[in-house]
Amino acid sequence: MSAGSRAQSVTRAQQATRAACTVQWSAAHLYVREATGRNDGPLIDTWARANGVPLRSPWCGLTQWAGQKACGLPVPKGAAGSYNWFLDPKRTYYVRGKRGSVDSLRAGHQVGFYYANLGRIGHIGRGIVAGRTIRKGRPVRGWYVNAGNTGAGGGRDGAGIRLVYYALPDFYACANWLW
C-alpha cells in the first residue's frame, strides 16, 4: 500500500485520535531535562540507543521519534535528523515559499525550523495548540510547539523538552505523520 493510499484509508477521526495520543505523550514528557547540559540524560540516552544515534547527539528529532513510536505511528528513515521528517512529499504539505499553507497545521503535526548557518532544517517540534501573542502591540497568530533540545525561548541548543510559542512566519515546513 502506498503512502498516498494509507493517508486516504485513515479517517480524520482516526488522525484526531492519533494526534491526541502524540499531544498527550508530549505533555507527559514536557519536563524531561538533560542531566549535565550535554545532550544526555536517562530518557535521552535510551531514545538515542533505540534509534541507533551516537550518545550526546542533538536530540529534537528523537523526541518526535519516541512520541510517534509510543502511539504506534510511522517515522521517517533517519528520524533523529530533523530534516528527514520533511522529505516525504506526501506527508510534507508546507515548505515556506515552495508549497502549501502553514494554515493547514493541526495538533500533532511536525514543524521544522530552518537554520541558515546549517543550510537546512535544523530543529523540529510538534504543534500542540494554536494561539496568539502580542508582538509589537499587535496580536500574532501562531502555535505552541513541544520540542526537545530546546531552550526556554526556543531554539535548538536548549537542555530540555519545552512548550514554546512560535509565530506562523517562524515555521519553515510542516508535515503530517499521523497516518
Side-chain angles (χ1 to χ4, degrees):
M1 185 182 291
S2 73
S5 60
R6 277 194 307 271
Q8 293 168 358
S9 67
V10 176
T11 68
R12 287 185 184 190
Q14 288 169 318
Q15 286 192 51
T17 299
R18 292 170 176 189
C21 178
T22 62
V23 168
Q24 182 179 13
W25 184 94
S26 296
H29 291 82
L30 187 57
Y31 299 105
V32 169
R33 296 290 185 261
E34 294 176 1
T36 67
R38 292 188 295 260
N39 293 333
D40 63 343
L43 269 178
I44 298 162
D45 292 351
T46 298
W47 297 334
R49 283 187 197 98
N51 204 283
V53 175
L55 296 179
R56 313 298 177 258
S57 297
W59 54 278
C60 61
L62 293 176
T63 61
Q64 301 304 305
W65 173 85
Q68 293 288 109
K69 289 304 220 177
C71 294
L73 298 172
V75 296
K77 183 177 181 182
S82 53
Y83 49 88
N84 290 329
W85 290 85
F86 305 97
L87 296 177
D88 184 339
K90 291 186 172 112
R91 293 182 187 276
T92 303
Y93 55 85
Y94 169 73
V95 177
R96 183 188 306 144
K98 296 181 182 172
R99 66 184 290 201
S101 171
V102 72
D103 290 327
S104 297
L105 180 61
R106 300 291 179 262
H109 290 189
Q110 277 72 23
V111 295
F113 302 94
Y114 186 86
Y115 285 77
N117 62 325
L118 299 174
R120 63 172 172 79
I121 293 173
H123 191 55
I124 183 174
R126 182 181 316 280
I128 301 298
V129 65
R132 287 189 179 266
T133 190
I134 302 296
R135 287 196 182 169
K136 296 183 184 176
R138 297 179 38 221
V140 176
R141 290 184 321 128
W143 275 77
Y144 288 91
V145 172
N146 178 288
N149 207 30
T150 301
R156 65 187 304 263
D157 294 318
I161 297 177
R162 300 184 189 273
L163 186 64
V164 179
Y165 179 83
Y166 291 94
L168 291 183
D170 295 338
F171 300 134
Y172 180 78
C174 300
N176 180 357
W177 283 85
L178 299 175
W179 47 269

